[in-house]
Amino acid sequence: MQHHPSLDLTRVKAFIFDVDGVLTDGSLLALASGEQVRSFHIKDGFAIRHAIQKGYRVAIISARQEEGVRKRLLSLDVEDIYLGVSNKLEAFGQFLTKYSLQPADIAYMGDDIPDLAVMQQCGVAACPEDAAPDVMWVANYISGKPGGKGAVRELIEAVLKMQGTW
């Protein structure tokens, strides 16, 4: 974990994650059917479900629209799934409004240029260790793990442990 030492994780009430490069390692297997299959890390899945059970809100905002991704997220009890999103800031605003949250209440993890707008608004701007350089520049929490390899778990665990809810 390489977050800024003065970073306060105690205000976080909700998590938002990008999919490709955050919940996955960014690899896609393109099948003859046209489906593009991704690999998810089981420990990330456990942490997402655990956070939801502890009362945290978890949302997913992704530019890509893939039914397999939606099914995986639903299996983790994630209710707020924004797929095929062209404007991530708009989905971010909808999520905040739905739950009466402030931008500072949110920990957002992204890995590339489309994530920057939301990362510049939220309380904890997180990224995996292999995020794009522009994203790492904006992040105030850089995971010690790459996308799809436990970066999500690390962030959730750090927040919940700091808040005594892990």
Side-chain angles (χ1 to χ4, degrees), residues 16-20 23 38 59-66 69 73 80-88 91 108 114-115:
I16 302 176
F17 300 105
D18 176 34
V19 175
D20 295 313
L23 281 167
R38 294 159 178 81
I60 305 300
I61 303 177
S62 176
R64 299 189 58 95
Q65 174 77 270
E66 192 71 51
V69 170
L73 297 169
D80 297 285
I81 305 169
Y82 303 87
L83 300 181
V85 172
S86 56
N87 183 345
K88 290 191 175 193
Y108 180 96
D115 300 303

Side-chain angles (χ1 to χ4, degrees), residues 13-29:
K13 296 178 184 168
F15 298 91
I16 302 176
F17 300 105
D18 176 34
V19 175
D20 295 313
V22 173
L23 281 167
T24 76
D25 66 6
S27 299
L28 291 175
L29 297 177

Side-chain angles (χ1 to χ4, degrees), residues 44-95:
D44 289 342
F46 170 82
I48 288 171
R49 184 182 281 130
H50 187 66
I52 291 168
Q53 289 169 346
K54 293 290 184 177
Y56 296 84
R57 297 284 178 194
V58 176
I60 305 300
I61 303 177
S62 176
R64 299 189 58 95
Q65 174 77 270
E66 192 71 51
E67 201 50 37
V69 170
R70 183 181 304 279
K71 287 179 177 165
R72 169 64 179 152
L73 297 169
L74 289 171
S75 78
L76 298 175
D77 303 324
V78 177
E79 295 175 13
D80 297 285
I81 305 169
Y82 303 87
L83 300 181
V85 172
S86 56
N87 183 345
K88 290 191 175 193
L89 211 47
E90 195 174 292
F92 177 66
Q94 290 170 11
F95 179 72

